Structure formats: C-alpha cells, structure tokens
C-alpha cells in the first residue's frame, strides 16, 4: 500500500490537482449560483471550499485508479502483454489505407445528411454572408470576412460550373464535408500512431462518423465548423511541436509553415480566435525560450500576428469592409452595468446620466435579460446611440471600473448568469444542437431539395434528429463537455504528460467569459465538443514513446 501511495499520490501528483479542484468548485458555483448567491458570504465561502475539498479527493482518487489500471493492464490492452511483463515502447505506423478508411467512413456516414438537406444547412447568418459574397450588400466583418471569402470562393466556383445558386451552395457544402473528413481522418491516424487502443479508435470513429451532430454540422455553412477543424489541428500541432522541443529534436521548416497557416486560420475564422492564438503563442514562446528552440517558431508566430493585423486594418479597409459595430463586443460590460443598475447596485447620478446617453435607462427593465445579450444589444441598436461609447471610450471604461468596484457582487452575478451554460454541469435550459428547419428564407429563392430519399423518409429522419436532440438534453450538456475536457487536462497533468493541446480550448472557454452573447449556445463550443476524442486519446491513451518529457 505504501508503494502504491508513493507511486500514485506523490507530492507532484497531489499538487497538480489543486488548481483543478478549485476550478471544479467554481463550476459548481455556476451550477448552484441561485442557491449559493442567497446563502450569505460566510456560508457561501464554506460551501465553496467544501466543494473544492471534495473535488480534490475525487480527482486524485479517479486519477490514481485510472493510472493503476493502465499500468497493470495497459500493455495487455494495447499489445497483448501479460500483466507484470516489462512494458514495451509502443510504435505504430498507420498504413496509408487507414487514413483513407477513416476519411471514407466520415464521408459515407455524412452523405445522407447532404442528400436529405441538399444543398446544406443555410442559416440567416449564412444568407447574409452569401449576399456579401455576391456583392449584393456591403461587406462586413461582423462575421469574419475571411470566412465570407471562403464561401465566395466555392460559391462562385459552383455557380460557374452549374449556373444555379442551389448547386453553388452544394459545392461549398461538399468541399466542407471533404475538408472536415480530412481533418478527422488525419487525427484518427495520429491517435492510432500514438498508441491509442483499438477500442478507443473505434469509439472515436463512431463519434465523428455516426453522431448526427457532426453529420449536420458538416453540411452547415456557419463559421463554427471550419474554425473547429482549424482549431483541432492547431491544438494537435501545438502539442507535437512542444514535445519535439522538449526532446531537442529538429523542427522541420515545412511543419512550421503548416503550423503558422493553422494559427492564421484560427485568428481569421472566429472573432475570439486571436485571443486563442495569442494565449497559445505565449505558452509556446515560453517553451521556445526554455528549450532554446526559438529560431523558427518565434519568428513564425510573429509573422502570423503581423498578417492578422495587416488583414484587419489595411486589407479590410481597402476592400471597404465594415467593422463589427461597437456594442457587439461589449456583451459582458453592458450586462454587468445593467445588473448593478437594476438589482440593488449603487450608481451615481452622473454615471446614470452617462448611461442614458447610450440607451434610455428608464425602460431598462423591459429589455434586460441576464442570460441573453442579443435582446439588449438589438434594443441599443434600435433605440440607443452606441456611437457615444466609441467617442468616449475612456469615460465608459472609467464608468465600468468605478461601478464594478462598488458592486462586485452584481458584476459576478452578471458573469455567471451570462455564461452559466458553458460551465454548469446541468442547466434547466434546453440546448438546441441544430435547427429544425435547415434552410432559412433567402433572396436566392433556394429551398431544400431532397435527393434520393422519399418524403416519408425525410419526415422519419427529421423525427429521429429531434429525438436525438431530446436525448442529448437528458444525458448530456454543454457544461459536461467542459467538465470532461478539464478532467482530461487534470489527468494529463497528473501523469506528467504534455498539456499544451489543452491550452487553446481553455482559452476558447475563457473568451466566453469575456464576450459570450448567450448563456448556452452549442455552436460556440462546437470546437470543444469535436476535440473530446482527440484530447481524451492524448491524455488517457498510451504514449508511443515512454521518454516523452513533461512540461
């Protein structure tokens, strides 16, 4: 027993679980905020530290049990070795046909969705981007204009080939299906190469190929899909490069170029992508200095940042692309100030007067929704004057800080309610994974054109998708993705594995704390959802080389 305690509960392992225990206690606050918020400060702190202590014990116990099982039976699961034999280094080189098999499985399994909802899932946001792509309306960076240009590339290609808007959209959808299938097949091959068990590979394949969520998002024109693919590759290569630095291995120029391209894609495909890139680059920069491997990576990351800044200012200005409006990026500050104003906080007459220049505060209660900023945002656009914020940035920054210092409880309340669904284990809100009607009204006169399938089959398929969505709400949640992600993170730290692949996803969730417009929107964390098999394989799978160095 002492040997087990020494091996599986040593000082380093115990210390690694402390920050995760406190993190899970914070997640419990999100889950129980309505109860905890009214319990009083002393009772609230006691409950918080009790949750942290319980989380610590559970985390350490789970990590130890999994580690003991892996060390005792891992070689038997992976290589057929008997327990007690000397572990062997796991080295598997996937045959090229395996990548093709993974690729074709995804394409074949997603093809029915493409044929059933041909030419694809076109939302209201996608319609606006299509109008920009055709030059019918002025360009806007409200939705990343780089993604609009990707739409334009394939849409115009399809229109020139087939001459109709429907087929033009179908070309984009088909291209996206191939891209996402390529991303998943590459990563499945890498998991196999890393030493993931056959059962783990099978589960990962089933996750990507058979889950209706991935099939429908593969035919969705929204920016979230390509961003999820780019982020998944970016996180993987961040881990691979950090391992190579730790082992003092040469980093090939081609790999650096590929990594830079992925970083730029992450920056350009979502507005929060730049935060993810900067945070990950900060970690990678530290590793470059620690391992003295900065000659290629640091200049490459700097070049990505320069390219992004050039795109954001000179290029978009030259293309006469409008920036997103001021209020779009101020979800959290506005919600915090309104929470303080409406829920017992203290604002001076001068502060209230300054707010009144932006929006009529006497009607604030009628439009304020602590869980959904779009109602407030649209009201400010229609009845307010958001330009005042842009003209007096310093005054409004000072206002936000001063009100927050006097009303920290209301500010915390606003953050928790505005982001609750992304961190709470379970919320009462129904999670919409996809839309019942996948083709929004549009000026292109496009409608869903079912291919090969009968009308009755279409109805049965729609009923199945709605039942699956109801089933998801009963057994899973957006918050559970977060809980599972951080448990894999905690186990990787416990085992001394490389933790860099988790950094971009932690930053995605952090960005939601800063600017989430809705308290629970599945598509905002679709990237986290798609990363689960890869990150679980990275954390719980066997390493192909036992010499891998921890960070």
């Amino acid at each position: 027993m002492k040997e087990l305690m020494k091996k599986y509960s040593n000082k380093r392992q115990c210390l690694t679980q402390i920050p995760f225990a406190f993190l899970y206690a914070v997640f419990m606050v999100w889950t129980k905020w309505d109860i905890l918020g009214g319990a009083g400060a002393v009772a609230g702190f006691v409950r918080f530290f009790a949750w942290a202590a319980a989380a610590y014990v559970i985390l350490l116990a789970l990590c130890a049990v999994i580690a003991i099982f892996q060390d005792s039976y891992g070689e038997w699961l992976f290589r057929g070795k008997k327990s007690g034999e000397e572990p062997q280094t796991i080295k598997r080189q996937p045959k090229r046909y395996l990548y093709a098999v993974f690729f074709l499985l995804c394409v074949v399994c997603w093809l029915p969705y493409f044929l059933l909802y041909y030419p694809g899932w076109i939302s209201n946001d996608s319609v606006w981007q299509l109008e920009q792509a055709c030059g019918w309306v002025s360009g806007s960076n409200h939705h990343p204009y780089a993604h609009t240009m990707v739409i334009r590339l394939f849409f115009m290609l399809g229109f020139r080939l087939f001459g109709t808007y429907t087929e033009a959209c179908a070309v984009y959808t088909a291209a996206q299906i191939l891209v996402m299938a390529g991303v998943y097949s590459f990563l499945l091959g890498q998991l196999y190469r890393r030493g993931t068990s056959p059962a783990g590979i099978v589960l990962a394949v089933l996750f990507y190929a058979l889950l209706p969520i991935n099939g429908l998002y593969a035919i969705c024109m929204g920016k979230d899909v390509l961003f999820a693919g780019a982020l998944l590759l970016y996180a993987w290569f961040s881990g691979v490069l950090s391992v190579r630095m730790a082992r003092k291995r040469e980093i090939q120029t081609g790999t650096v170029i590929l990594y830079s391209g992925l970083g730029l894609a992450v920056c350009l495909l979502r507005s929060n992508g730049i935060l993810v890139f900067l945070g990950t680059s900060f970690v990678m920069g530290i590793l470059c200095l620690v391992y003295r491997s900065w000659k290629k990576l640091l200049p490459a990351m700097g070049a990505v940042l320069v390219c992004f800044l050039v795109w954001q200012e000179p290029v978009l200005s030259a293309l006469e692309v409008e920036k997103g409006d001021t209020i779009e990026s101020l979800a959290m500050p506005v919600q915090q100030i309104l929470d303080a104003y409406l829920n017992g906080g203290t604002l001076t007459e001068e502060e209230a007067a300054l707010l009144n220049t932006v929006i009529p505060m006497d009607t604030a209660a009628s439009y304020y929704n602590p869980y959904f900023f779009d109602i407030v945002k649209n009201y400010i656009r229609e009845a307010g004057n958001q330009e005042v914020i842009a003209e007096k940035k310093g005054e409004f920054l000072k206002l936000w800080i001063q009100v927050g210092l006097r009303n920290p409880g209301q500010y915390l309340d606003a953050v928790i309610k505005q982001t609750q669904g992304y961190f709470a284990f379970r919320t009462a809100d129904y999670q919409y994974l996809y839309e019942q009607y996948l083709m929004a009204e549009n000026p292109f006169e496009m409608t869903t054109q079912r291919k090969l399938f009968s009308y009755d089959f279409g109805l049965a398929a729609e009923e199945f998708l709605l039942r699956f969505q109801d089933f998801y709400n009963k057994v899973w949640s957006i918050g559970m993705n977060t809980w599972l992600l951080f448990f894999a993170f905690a186990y990787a730290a416990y085992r001394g594995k490389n933790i860099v692949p988790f950094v971009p996803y932690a930053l995605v969730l952090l960005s939601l704390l800063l600017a989430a417009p809705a308290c629970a929107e599945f598509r905002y964390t679709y990237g986290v959802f798609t990363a689960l098999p890869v990150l679980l394989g990275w954390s719980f799978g066997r390493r192909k080389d036992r010499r891998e160095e921890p960070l």
Side-chain angles (χ1 to χ4, degrees), residues 167-347:
E167 272 65 36
C169 280
V171 168
Y172 173 87
T173 306
Q176 182 170 271
I177 287 174
L178 296 178
V179 169
M180 296 306 294
V183 170
Y184 297 146
S185 64
F186 169 78
L187 288 165
L188 287 167
Q190 293 303 303
L191 287 178
Y192 176 86
R193 182 181 182 184
R194 185 176 171 81
T196 303
S197 69
I201 294 295
V202 170
L203 289 175
V205 171
L206 294 178
F207 177 92
Y208 288 123
L210 291 186
L211 276 185
I213 299 171
N214 294 318
L216 281 173
Y217 271 82
I219 66 169
C220 175
M221 193 176 277
K223 58 185 178 289
D224 309 282
V225 184
L226 291 180
F227 175 76
L231 183 64
L232 193 49
L233 291 174
Y234 178 67
W236 179 268
F237 277 100
S238 295
V240 169
L241 289 176
S242 61
V243 169
R244 289 183 183 178
M245 285 190 287
R247 295 178 184 174
K248 308 297 182 183
R249 292 183 179 177
E250 182 182 359
I251 297 175
Q252 301 296 326
T253 301
T255 304
V256 174
I257 293 173
L258 175 61
Y259 183 64
S260 301
L262 292 170
L264 186 59
V266 168
C267 292
L268 296 179
L269 289 174
R270 273 203 70 94
S271 56
N272 63 338
I274 183 60
L275 298 177
V276 175
F277 173 77
L278 290 175
T280 306
S281 295
F282 177 76
V283 173
M284 293 294 288
I286 292 175
L287 295 179
C288 286
L289 297 176
V290 169
Y291 296 122
R292 298 180 181 180
S293 182
W294 55 269
K295 290 184 179 180
K296 290 182 178 180
L297 274 181
L298 283 184
M301 292 186 291
V304 171
L305 181 58
V306 170
C307 290
F308 173 76
L309 295 175
V310 169
W311 170 264
Q312 286 293 100
E313 291 298 333
V315 174
L316 292 185
S317 297
L319 295 173
E320 298 182 348
V321 175
E322 300 173 357
K323 297 180 180 180
D325 59 2
T326 302
I327 201 63
E328 181 68 30
S329 59
L330 297 177
M332 201 57 67
V334 172
Q335 292 290 73
Q336 289 173 321
I337 291 174
L338 287 177
D339 193 303
Y341 181 81
L342 295 171
N343 296 324
T346 56
L347 277 77

Side-chain angles (χ1 to χ4, degrees), residues 134-148:
C134 293
W136 293 5
V137 298
S138 59
S140 172
N141 204 34
H142 175 85
H143 299 293
Y145 196 67
H147 180 248
T148 302

Side-chain angles (χ1 to χ4, degrees), residues 452-468:
L452 298 181
F453 298 110
S454 67
Y455 177 76
D456 289 339
F457 183 88
L459 290 179
E462 184 175 320
E463 183 180 350
F464 164 75
L465 292 174
L466 291 175
R467 286 203 308 268
F468 180 86

Side-chain angles (χ1 to χ4, degrees), residues 93-105 185 189 192:
Q93 290 294 335
K95 303 296 184 181
R96 290 183 179 179
Y97 73 83
L98 275 180
Y99 290 107
V101 168
F102 295 147
F103 178 84
L104 289 174
L105 279 172
S185 64
Y192 176 86

Side-chain angles (χ1 to χ4, degrees), residues 503-514:
V503 172
Y505 292 97
L507 291 168
V508 166
L509 294 168
L510 177 62
S511 70
L512 293 174
L513 286 176
L514 303 175

Side-chain angles (χ1 to χ4, degrees), residues 403-421:
V403 174
L405 291 175
R406 292 198 303 271
N407 305 278
Q410 281 79 7
Y411 270 34
L412 178 60
D413 177 76
V415 171
I416 290 175
K417 289 181 178 177
Q418 186 63 35
T419 60
Q420 193 174 57

Side-chain angles (χ1 to χ4, degrees), residues 68-88 90 92 195-199 542 546:
I68 291 171
F69 177 82
Q70 283 191 326
D71 290 346
S72 300
Y73 301 101
E75 294 301 326
W76 177 81
L77 288 172
F78 286 87
R79 297 179 58 86
K81 298 289 181 181
K82 295 180 180 180
S83 177
E85 290 188 7
E86 184 67 22
Q88 303 295 319
I90 299 172
R92 295 193 304 204
T196 303
S197 69
R542 301 288 289 182
R546 287 178 172 271

